[in-house]
Amino acid sequence: MLTSPTAPGAEAASDEGPRRNLGALLRRLHLAGPMSRAELAEEMNLNRSTIMALTTRLSAAGLVRERQPGGLGRSGRPSLVVTPAADRAYVLAFDVAVDRLTAARVSLGGQVQDRRIATRSRSGPDLDAVVGVLAEFGRDLHRAARPGAVCVGVGASYCGMIRPGDGTVRYGPYLGWVDQAFGTELRDQLGLGLPVRVGNEAHLGAWAEYLRGAGVGVRNLIYLHGDVGVGGGIIVGGEALDGESGYGSELGHMVVNPHDGRPCSCGARGCLEAEVGERALLDEAGLPADVIGREAVRDVVEAALRGDPASRRAVDHVGDWLGIGVANLINLFNPGMLVFGGIMRDVYLGARERVDRRIAAHVLPVSRHRVRLEVAALGDDTTLAGAAELGFADLLANPLGVMASLDA
Amino acid sequence: MLTSPTAPGAEAASDEGPRRNLGALLRRLHLAGPMSRAELAEEMNLNRSTIMALTTRLSAAGLVRERQPGGLGRSGRPSLVVTPAADRAYVLAFDVAVDRLTAARVSLGGQVQDRRIATRSRSGPDLDAVVGVLAEFGRDLHRAARPGAVCVGVGASYCGMIRPGDGTVRYGPYLGWVDQAFGTELRDQLGLGLPVRVGNEAHLGAWAEYLRGAGVGVRNLIYLHGDVGVGGGIIVGGEALDGESGYGSELGHMVVNPHDGRPCSCGARGCLEAEVGERALLDEAGLPADVIGREAVRDVVEAALRGDPASRRAVDHVGDWLGIGVANLINLFNPGMLVFGGIMRDVYLGARERVDRRIAAHVLPVSRHRVRLEVAALGDDTTLAGAAELGFADLLANPLGVMASLDA
């Protein structure tokens, strides 16, 4: 489902024809922004006449623009600068979090052009309500796009386990969803004639941080995402760790506290999610059960950083468990980077020292040397940005084919 | 370092020339045994004249033999059967376990032709002694090879963390080795003019079970290896999980018992290795500290299976911790198979029910469905077989080039 951004040089060396080179070139511009033809030729290991042929075809489809640069190229002759055309192709990106629904129109190049947000109560299975809100947002964003712009794909992030292929939610504990046909329902309600690609929020967050965020170029990367639950996305050698059936990277259900662990949404006790998630922190801080949400988490962390003793104890307690989980992940994966997103970002910033202490105690020195710990560079948009990349996948695999089919 | 056996069809489709096809064809025969030209053509997606050209060249180098089959091919015309030549190319494979040194001559096709074993006491850093014994074994096995046979590579398995590239042991807790130049020392002492490729024992065991053992074709596979320590090899999408610097898959130092965990060789407490390794089981069974070794472990497991209460309790206790580790791994990797090797094989066979119970309690149903739990099909030879495959890697990447350089 997720297409790996292999090195442009490797793609260019293949003989699978111009379609692949067209896709690789457009992907490069989509992720890196404007580049000169000379730079593209060097990065893609193609000669400049081949680059020109590719950019000319992409330009004719309206997907890129070429312009004279301000200065001169290395050879003294100016090399045209190629820019992804933000007003030609866009995707609709959706994000279903436990307490918030987001929809956005995202242009080629990755900019959010417009967005709609609805907060919601935490209630039971309500596929129709969720899809209804998202579809209305989506149609609205689609109508508001400028004339000549084309919707080239739809991607959605969901806070649960997703069956690859059809976008069915297999298990979404916090919304109470089991085997709900989310992807096909949203496709039907949107009525754009495009499939809706659905991914797990943490998998998508990992992918977005790898493509555009804190972890660009880090081929072994672990992303920890906290919403109400705690999930993960793991990238191994530049590929998403999906496992045998697409349900890998479930680091929230790693058991860290087998003795007297807190009960978890999955029915077990002592899972990482149960020990470091929203409820664990708020309970440790002594807050009543009706205080919920990411703002409440941020308040506790800020109070801890200001020196409030109860908040400090709560953050330290949760940080200790987070540290065990992080140490285990480093031992298993020898990653180049761990990225903390969602409320894990806040917990990590509040409990950094505790996490570092656990790493020092439990991670073998050879693996400890390399790893960097970072917070999500895309902030609260990690999962939405990942959904947008899902939406762009088809276009970037076959730019002219997709544009031809949509213009027809 | 480890070469992935990508699908022959994928290799054949490339235009990287006959070298790659020669290597792919020889690898196929090396792993699968004799095949007809027609079968090779179908599996490799090449036409029969191309296959004939490849087998003719390999045959001229003495690496394969071709013979008339007993029956008739599908077309009515017999398709020659191609066999890897076991008397032409071999590797030396070494295995350094805590209490045992093994050396073997392994022929193309993977058969162990001859082996030497030395048991040893568990003592301190003794690079010279270990290399001395192995080099003598190796030279002896080399001299005993039949005339015309060529040593095409050397591979070694070591019970510790290995720096990729030069075969330095970064950390071998049970032999007390830190930064020992094992690979280059063994190369120099052997004096065959060949590099010695070194890998971690559990990484190599995983690879061997994937290529030739319980997990053939299982592209997401986890191998747990128990010697005195507990290590792991993890294969994700058909590739070894090495991580950023080659030290991934260290599942033995996953913390499973943070509260009152046993001390671990790494200095921390409650690691999987500390809770399920040899010493944990023997201590739980009430055996004195001088009772050690895999035979002692097997005795306890056999006693437990016969119903001896103390042994039963010990195996159940260790099985509970093993179950937590296994459940965590399934949640993280969504693997198709877990393979238990070394003493983990015995512990698993004795504690299967406990492990299953933990999986039922902690693994999300979507990931539980797919996974199979198996014991190592290669028995105590998993790590040695993996070392042999390391030794064959160069030949299988470039069969004629390697043979030409060695015959020169």
Side-chain angles (χ1 to χ4, degrees), chain B residues 4 23 35 60-61 69 75 80 140 146 206 216 227 236 249 268 297 350 394:
Chain B
S4 299
M35 294 174 72
S75 66
L80 289 184
D140 189 29
R146 56 184 282 171
V216 171
D227 180 21
V236 173
S249 304
V297 168
D394 287 344

Side-chain angles (χ1 to χ4, degrees), chain B residues 205 208-209 212-214 375-382 385-386:
Chain B
E209 289 292 324
R212 306 185 166 276
V375 295
L378 302 172
D380 282 340
D381 276 349
T382 49

Side-chain angles (χ1 to χ4, degrees), chain A residues 15 161 170-171 220 234 236 241-251 253-260 266 268-269 321 324 328-329 331-336 361-362 364 366-367 369-370, chain B residues 15 161 170-171 220 234 236 241-251 253-260 266 268-269 321 324 328-329 331-336 361-362 364 366-367 369-370:
Chain A
D15 63 349
M161 300 177 97
R170 292 297 308 278
Y171 179 59
N220 296 283
I234 298 174
V236 173
L241 191 157
D242 287 330
E244 201 69 6
S245 38
Y247 305 117
S249 305
E250 271 298 332
L251 52 84
H253 300 285
M254 172 166 54
V255 180
V256 290
N257 185 4
H259 278 275
D260 54 357
C266 73
R269 302 184 81 93
W321 292 118
I324 288 185
N328 285 350
L329 293 168
N331 278 327
L332 283 171
F333 290 97
N334 183 202
H362 292 290
L364 301 173
V366 288
S367 283
H369 291 150
R370 283 289 190 96
Chain B
D15 63 348
M161 301 177 96
R170 292 298 309 278
Y171 180 58
N220 296 283
I234 299 175
V236 173
L241 190 159
D242 287 330
E244 200 70 3
S245 38
Y247 306 116
S249 304
E250 272 298 332
L251 52 83
H253 300 285
M254 172 166 54
V255 180
V256 292
N257 185 5
H259 278 274
D260 54 358
C266 73
R269 302 183 81 92
W321 292 117
I324 287 184
N328 285 351
L329 292 168
N331 278 326
L332 283 171
F333 291 95
N334 184 203
H362 292 290
L364 302 172
V366 288
S367 283
H369 291 151
R370 282 289 189 98

Side-chain angles (χ1 to χ4, degrees), chain B residues 59-365:
Chain B
S59 180
L63 290 169
V64 306
R65 302 241 153 66
E66 302 193 89
R67 59 174 169 79
Q68 297 290 341
L72 289 178
R74 234 173 292 171
S75 66
R77 208 177 50 167
S79 175
L80 289 184
V81 171
V82 192
T83 306
D87 54 0
R88 172 66 169 143
Y90 66 88
V91 297
L92 295 178
F94 298 98
D95 185 13
V96 180
V98 176
D99 56 2
R100 206 167 57 159
L101 302 175
T102 307
R105 193 175 64 242
V106 179
S107 64
L108 187 65
Q111 285 76 36
V112 174
Q113 296 181 314
D114 198 0
R115 74 168 79 203
R116 304 279 182 281
I117 300 175
T119 54
R120 56 192 296 278
S121 63
R122 295 180 180 178
S123 53
D126 52 357
L127 177 70
D128 291 346
V130 167
V131 168
V133 171
L134 293 179
E136 193 184 317
F137 282 170
R139 288 190 302 264
D140 189 29
L141 290 163
H142 181 61
R143 274 193 301 270
R146 56 184 282 171
V150 177
C151 182
V152 297
V154 185
S157 163
Y158 185 90
C159 52
M161 301 177 96
I162 309 301
R163 182 162 60 207
D166 68 355
T168 292
V169 174
R170 292 298 309 278
Y171 180 58
Y174 288 104
L175 298 186
W177 290 21
V178 174
D179 289 329
Q180 301 275 323
F182 173 58
T184 49
E185 281 294 320
L186 182 55
R187 176 198 65 194
D188 293 347
Q189 295 275 324
L190 273 173
L192 299 176
L194 290 167
V196 177
R197 314 267 183 224
V198 187
N200 166 273
E201 59 177 355
H203 292 196
L204 293 177
W207 202 245
E209 289 292 324
Y210 174 61
L211 293 181
R212 306 185 166 276
V216 171
V218 181
R219 293 174 59 79
N220 296 283
L221 177 148
I222 297 177
Y223 173 74
L224 280 100
H225 186 78
D227 180 21
V228 179
V230 173
I234 299 175
I235 292 173
V236 173
E239 302 277 348
L241 190 159
D242 287 330
E244 200 70 3
S245 38
Y247 306 116
S249 304
E250 272 298 332
L251 52 83
H253 300 285
M254 172 166 54
V255 180
V256 292
N257 185 5
H259 278 274
D260 54 358
R262 294 169 52 93
C264 183
S265 68
C266 73
R269 302 183 81 92
C271 299
L272 184 66
E273 169 172 313
E275 302 297 341
V276 309
E278 174 186 308
R279 197 65 248 152
L281 182 70
L282 299 177
D283 282 353
E284 287 295 329
L287 293 166
D290 62 340
V291 176
I292 57 173
R294 62 186 85 182
E295 293 313 319
V297 168
R298 284 170 190 174
D299 288 347
V300 171
V301 171
E302 276 166 28
L305 291 171
R306 280 197 314 270
D308 172 64
S311 301
R312 185 70 263 162
R313 275 194 302 278
V315 172
D316 283 352
H317 179 89
V318 163
D320 269 340
W321 292 117
L322 180 61
I324 287 184
V326 164
N328 285 351
L329 292 168
I330 300 174
N331 278 326
L332 283 171
F333 291 95
N334 184 203
M337 185 181 288
L338 265 102
V339 181
F340 298 89
I343 68 161
M344 284 302 103
R345 176 180 177 280
D346 304 282
V347 171
Y348 171 66
L349 289 175
R352 200 188 293 233
E353 204 188 304
R354 292 291 174 130
V355 173
D356 288 347
R357 208 182 293 172
R358 288 289 194 179
I359 292 174
H362 292 290
V363 176
L364 302 172

Side-chain angles (χ1 to χ4, degrees), chain A residues 273-320:
Chain A
E273 168 171 315
E275 301 298 341
V276 310
E278 174 185 308
R279 197 65 250 153
L281 182 70
L282 299 176
D283 281 354
E284 287 294 329
L287 294 165
D290 61 341
V291 176
I292 57 172
R294 60 188 87 183
E295 293 312 320
V297 168
R298 285 168 189 176
D299 289 346
V300 171
V301 171
E302 275 166 28
L305 291 171
R306 279 197 314 271
D308 173 64
S311 301
R312 185 70 262 163
R313 275 194 304 276
V315 172
D316 284 351
H317 179 88
V318 164
D320 269 340

Side-chain angles (χ1 to χ4, degrees), chain A residues 91-94 151-156 186 190 192 194-197 387 390-391:
Chain A
V91 298
L92 295 178
F94 298 98
C151 182
V152 297
V154 185
L186 182 55
L190 273 172
L192 299 176
L194 290 168
V196 177
R197 314 268 182 221
L390 268 190

